[in-house]
Each structure stands twice: as C-alpha cells, then as structure tokens.
Amino acid sequence: MVSSRTFRTTAVGLVVFCLFGCSLGDSDYRSADAPRYVAPAADAPKPRIALVLGSGGPRGFAHIGVLKVLEAEGIKPDLVVGASVGAMVGAMYASGHSAAQIEQIALNLNMLTLVDLASLFRGKRVGGASIARFVNDHVEHKTIEQFPIRFAAIAVRASDGVLTIFNRGNPGVAVRASSAIPGSFDPVRILGVDYIDGDELTPLPIKVARQLGAQIVIAVNVSEYMEDTPPGVPQEWVTKGWRRAHAVDAEAPFADVIIHPNTGYYTGVRHDYRVRSIAIAEAATRAMLPKIRAAIARGRSSPPVASSAVCGPA
C-alpha cells in the first residue's frame, strides 16, 4: 500500500513535471533560430574546464549550491553541458547570470507560472511554452552562440534513440526538448524531428563534454541515492532510478570529479526544500574541493570520446 507521504509526493509530481518536463505539444519549431548542433571548428580553442549538470527534476535546485561554491573559489567553466533540469540551470549560468542571481530566481519562483494550465483544463497534456518563455526571458533572449560561456543541452531523437546535442539556436526550445519526459509529455518537434528528455539516454552527459573537447570535467549528479529507497514506493520509480544509476556509472570513468549531493529520496518544490537542497550541495561541493583543485592542476586526464556517437540537426 502506498503511504500518505508517497501520495503527497505523487500529487506534487504534477507540478514538478510541469516545471521540469514540459514539451512543445503538437507544434513544430521551424524558426531560423531553431536549436541545432554545430561541430566545433578544428582550430577552435578546446574548453579547459567543463561543468556537466545532470537531470533529476526538483533535485536540480542542488545545482545552484554547486555553482555558488565553484564561483566563490574562482573556478569558472569554459563549457556547460546540461540534461533536463541541468540544461535549465546551465543555460542561465552560461548566459551570464551569477550563482547568486540564479539562486534568487529559484527561491522566488512561483511554480505555477511555468505551467500552461489552459491545455490541462481542456483535457490535453500540459504544454511547455511557459518553460521556453521562462528560459528565454532569463537569458535576455540571447541565442546559445551569444552566451559568454559555451553551452550545450542534450536530448534524444525519438525515432531512433540517438543522442543529440543542441549548442546553437534558441536555448528555451533546447531546454524544452531536453526535458520532454516520454509517457508523460509529448515529444518536442524541431524542424520536423521529434525529441525527448535527455535523461532517457544520458542523465549525466559526461561523454558529451569530452566529445566537445573538454580537458577537465566536473560533473554534478543530482539523482537519488538508490540505497535510500524507502519501502512501498512504486516499482516504476525504482526501475527508473536504477536505470539512471547504471547510465551514470557507465559515464563516470570519463569525469575527473563527480559531485553527488544527497538531498534525500523524496523531492518537493516548497521553499524550504529549495533552500535545503542548495545548502546540502554547497557542503558536498566544499568537501570535493581538494579533488577539484587537484584535477585542475593535473590538466587533461582522459582522451576525448569519438564524436561519431553524437549527432544534431544541421
């Protein structure tokens, strides 16, 4: 029997999914700034430090705590790669926002402003226009190529499960594509191609950072600790959690440092949860600073991954 706490968590899930998993619905984004992939020029300088921000729904508030500590220590990435909620936080940071500014946005955020309620009342799936609007408003309507820090959001091509990098074009639409959870939300259609949540293939896209030339990779895993799974939770949650854990483990050898703050199994969107998640991530990052500094001093620790495994729309 599902506990009352689990029921409350499930009820909150609708708002959570609206925030971190909405999609384009039936529309097809065909504007000139449609998200796309452009391979780095052969003579372009390689990013020295990449920050990889993983998926994890509302656990993504923890990304802000990591950013606060790295920024305070003067550790600035040359490349940010994000999946799902990591793409949302990453886009704002790469666009030029400070960690403190992102924290204020997160703490003051009214979740309902990110929900397209009209479609819900019409009996349709929740739309995702508010997500793209939120991201684009907060990056001052810059395109990805205009960001001061290189940025890439990852998604999965729905037709064949091929990983896709978006490193040019409209960041709001790219984040929507990276957050389109299958089974709960429609795929996001861009230039006639459907995309789904990047979490389905690579919840912590470390290899993408290597493929984009990163010499040092600091990754932030905000997924649950599976050993903390309480009894009585739906088997669907357990299955998804283990799938995500195995996917992270497969990419872990390609990272120099992985920060994995334990914000607890159950999530939420209350103000106190946001504050607690950020604080836990700050502490976890401070604990990893010696390893981070050692990795930076050491320089490249792993060869780049062959880029043929990743594609993107031209």
Side-chain angles (χ1 to χ4, degrees), residues 13 15 48 53 63 72 91 95-96 103 121 154 207 275 312:
V15 176
R48 182 163 180 261
L53 304 181
H63 286 312
S95 74
E103 181 179 36
F121 292 136
I154 62 100
K207 288 184 179 181
V275 172

PDB file of all heavy atoms in Angstrom, residues 13 15 48 53 63 72 91 95-96 103 121 154 207 275 312:
ATOM      1  N   GLY A  13       3.986  15.765  -7.798  1.00  0.00           N
ATOM      2  CA  GLY A  13       4.658  15.401  -9.040  1.00  0.00           C
ATOM      3  C   GLY A  13       4.125  16.108 -10.266  1.00  0.00           C
ATOM      4  O   GLY A  13       4.871  16.372 -11.200  1.00  0.00           O
ATOM      5  N   VAL A  15       3.046  19.186 -10.564  1.00  0.00           N
ATOM      6  CA  VAL A  15       3.682  20.493 -10.668  1.00  0.00           C
ATOM      7  C   VAL A  15       5.155  20.331 -11.014  1.00  0.00           C
ATOM      8  O   VAL A  15       5.715  21.067 -11.820  1.00  0.00           O
ATOM      9  CB  VAL A  15       3.526  21.279  -9.349  1.00  0.00           C
ATOM     10  CG1 VAL A  15       4.282  22.596  -9.424  1.00  0.00           C
ATOM     11  CG2 VAL A  15       2.061  21.534  -9.072  1.00  0.00           C
ATOM     12  N   ARG A  48      38.802  24.233 -21.432  1.00  0.00           N
ATOM     13  CA  ARG A  48      39.684  23.638 -20.419  1.00  0.00           C
ATOM     14  C   ARG A  48      38.850  22.917 -19.355  1.00  0.00           C
ATOM     15  O   ARG A  48      39.114  21.776 -19.015  1.00  0.00           O
ATOM     16  CB  ARG A  48      40.548  24.719 -19.774  1.00  0.00           C
ATOM     17  CG  ARG A  48      41.521  24.179 -18.735  1.00  0.00           C
ATOM     18  CD  ARG A  48      42.616  25.175 -18.415  1.00  0.00           C
ATOM     19  NE  ARG A  48      43.530  24.632 -17.417  1.00  0.00           N
ATOM     20  CZ  ARG A  48      43.465  24.920 -16.117  1.00  0.00           C
ATOM     21  NH1 ARG A  48      42.546  25.771 -15.673  1.00  0.00           N
ATOM     22  NH2 ARG A  48      44.324  24.391 -15.259  1.00  0.00           N
ATOM     23  N   LEU A  53      25.886  19.277 -15.794  1.00  0.00           N
ATOM     24  CA  LEU A  53      24.774  19.336 -14.848  1.00  0.00           C
ATOM     25  C   LEU A  53      23.725  18.306 -15.250  1.00  0.00           C
ATOM     26  O   LEU A  53      23.138  18.390 -16.318  1.00  0.00           O
ATOM     27  CB  LEU A  53      24.172  20.741 -14.816  1.00  0.00           C
ATOM     28  CG  LEU A  53      25.153  21.883 -14.496  1.00  0.00           C
ATOM     29  CD1 LEU A  53      24.420  23.220 -14.484  1.00  0.00           C
ATOM     30  CD2 LEU A  53      25.870  21.644 -13.171  1.00  0.00           C
ATOM     31  N   HIS A  63      21.978  22.029  -8.046  1.00  0.00           N
ATOM     32  CA  HIS A  63      22.985  22.556  -8.964  1.00  0.00           C
ATOM     33  C   HIS A  63      23.423  23.965  -8.549  1.00  0.00           C
ATOM     34  O   HIS A  63      24.577  24.354  -8.738  1.00  0.00           O
ATOM     35  CB  HIS A  63      22.426  22.607 -10.386  1.00  0.00           C
ATOM     36  CG  HIS A  63      22.305  21.269 -11.043  1.00  0.00           C
ATOM     37  ND1 HIS A  63      23.321  20.348 -11.044  1.00  0.00           N
ATOM     38  CD2 HIS A  63      21.279  20.709 -11.752  1.00  0.00           C
ATOM     39  CE1 HIS A  63      22.936  19.267 -11.713  1.00  0.00           C
ATOM     40  NE2 HIS A  63      21.709  19.459 -12.146  1.00  0.00           N
ATOM     41  N   ALA A  72      32.647  30.996  -5.912  1.00  0.00           N
ATOM     42  CA  ALA A  72      33.365  31.608  -4.790  1.00  0.00           C
ATOM     43  C   ALA A  72      34.845  31.234  -4.803  1.00  0.00           C
ATOM     44  O   ALA A  72      35.698  32.007  -4.342  1.00  0.00           O
ATOM     45  CB  ALA A  72      32.731  31.182  -3.468  1.00  0.00           C
ATOM     46  N   ALA A  91      21.749  26.749 -18.740  1.00  0.00           N
ATOM     47  CA  ALA A  91      21.525  27.811 -19.720  1.00  0.00           C
ATOM     48  C   ALA A  91      21.593  29.183 -19.055  1.00  0.00           C
ATOM     49  O   ALA A  91      22.194  30.120 -19.595  1.00  0.00           O
ATOM     50  CB  ALA A  91      20.180  27.617 -20.411  1.00  0.00           C
ATOM     51  N   SER A  95      24.605  31.880 -19.752  1.00  0.00           N
ATOM     52  CA  SER A  95      24.190  33.150 -20.376  1.00  0.00           C
ATOM     53  C   SER A  95      24.774  34.360 -19.667  1.00  0.00           C
ATOM     54  O   SER A  95      24.676  35.483 -20.169  1.00  0.00           O
ATOM     55  CB  SER A  95      22.666  33.262 -20.396  1.00  0.00           C
ATOM     56  OG  SER A  95      22.162  33.548 -19.100  1.00  0.00           O
ATOM     57  N   GLY A  96      25.352  34.151 -18.479  1.00  0.00           N
ATOM     58  CA  GLY A  96      25.984  35.260 -17.773  1.00  0.00           C
ATOM     59  C   GLY A  96      25.457  35.537 -16.391  1.00  0.00           C
ATOM     60  O   GLY A  96      25.995  36.391 -15.685  1.00  0.00           O
ATOM     61  N   GLU A 103      20.134  31.701  -7.789  1.00  0.00           N
ATOM     62  CA  GLU A 103      19.541  31.304  -6.503  1.00  0.00           C
ATOM     63  C   GLU A 103      18.305  32.141  -6.197  1.00  0.00           C
ATOM     64  O   GLU A 103      17.269  31.611  -5.774  1.00  0.00           O
ATOM     65  CB  GLU A 103      20.560  31.444  -5.386  1.00  0.00           C
ATOM     66  CG  GLU A 103      20.027  31.018  -4.025  1.00  0.00           C
ATOM     67  CD  GLU A 103      21.072  31.147  -2.938  1.00  0.00           C
ATOM     68  OE1 GLU A 103      21.880  32.108  -2.994  1.00  0.00           O
ATOM     69  OE2 GLU A 103      21.080  30.304  -2.024  1.00  0.00           O
ATOM     70  N   PHE A 121      -6.835  22.178 -18.568  1.00  0.00           N
ATOM     71  CA  PHE A 121      -8.278  22.308 -18.400  1.00  0.00           C
ATOM     72  C   PHE A 121      -9.043  21.825 -19.632  1.00  0.00           C
ATOM     73  O   PHE A 121     -10.205  21.451 -19.532  1.00  0.00           O
ATOM     74  CB  PHE A 121      -8.649  23.763 -18.095  1.00  0.00           C
ATOM     75  CG  PHE A 121      -8.178  24.224 -16.750  1.00  0.00           C
ATOM     76  CD1 PHE A 121      -7.591  25.466 -16.589  1.00  0.00           C
ATOM     77  CD2 PHE A 121      -8.305  23.410 -15.637  1.00  0.00           C
ATOM     78  CE1 PHE A 121      -7.149  25.891 -15.345  1.00  0.00           C
ATOM     79  CE2 PHE A 121      -7.873  23.823 -14.386  1.00  0.00           C
ATOM     80  CZ  PHE A 121      -7.295  25.073 -14.247  1.00  0.00           C
ATOM     81  N   ILE A 154      21.378  18.529 -24.075  1.00  0.00           N
ATOM     82  CA  ILE A 154      21.268  17.260 -24.791  1.00  0.00           C
ATOM     83  C   ILE A 154      19.834  16.756 -24.759  1.00  0.00           C
ATOM     84  O   ILE A 154      19.080  16.993 -23.815  1.00  0.00           O
ATOM     85  CB  ILE A 154      22.243  16.199 -24.250  1.00  0.00           C
ATOM     86  CG1 ILE A 154      21.967  15.864 -22.776  1.00  0.00           C
ATOM     87  CG2 ILE A 154      23.673  16.681 -24.413  1.00  0.00           C
ATOM     88  CD1 ILE A 154      21.188  14.620 -22.553  1.00  0.00           C
ATOM     89  N   LYS A 207      30.225  12.196 -21.365  1.00  0.00           N
ATOM     90  CA  LYS A 207      30.873  11.921 -22.647  1.00  0.00           C
ATOM     91  C   LYS A 207      30.676  13.057 -23.639  1.00  0.00           C
ATOM     92  O   LYS A 207      31.560  13.331 -24.460  1.00  0.00           O
ATOM     93  CB  LYS A 207      30.344  10.617 -23.230  1.00  0.00           C
ATOM     94  CG  LYS A 207      30.809   9.366 -22.503  1.00  0.00           C
ATOM     95  CD  LYS A 207      30.307   8.116 -23.220  1.00  0.00           C
ATOM     96  CE  LYS A 207      30.776   6.855 -22.536  1.00  0.00           C
ATOM     97  NZ  LYS A 207      30.306   5.633 -23.243  1.00  0.00           N
ATOM     98  N   VAL A 275      15.826  25.623  -0.340  1.00  0.00           N
ATOM     99  CA  VAL A 275      16.923  26.123   0.488  1.00  0.00           C
ATOM    100  C   VAL A 275      17.797  24.979   0.984  1.00  0.00           C
ATOM    101  O   VAL A 275      19.029  25.050   0.937  1.00  0.00           O
ATOM    102  CB  VAL A 275      16.365  26.928   1.680  1.00  0.00           C
ATOM    103  CG1 VAL A 275      17.476  27.295   2.660  1.00  0.00           C
ATOM    104  CG2 VAL A 275      15.663  28.196   1.189  1.00  0.00           C
ATOM    105  N   GLY A 312      23.348  15.935 -34.379  1.00  0.00           N
ATOM    106  CA  GLY A 312      22.418  17.014 -34.126  1.00  0.00           C
ATOM    107  C   GLY A 312      21.892  17.526 -35.443  1.00  0.00           C
ATOM    108  O   GLY A 312      22.498  17.293 -36.490  1.00  0.00           O
TER     109      GLY A 312
END
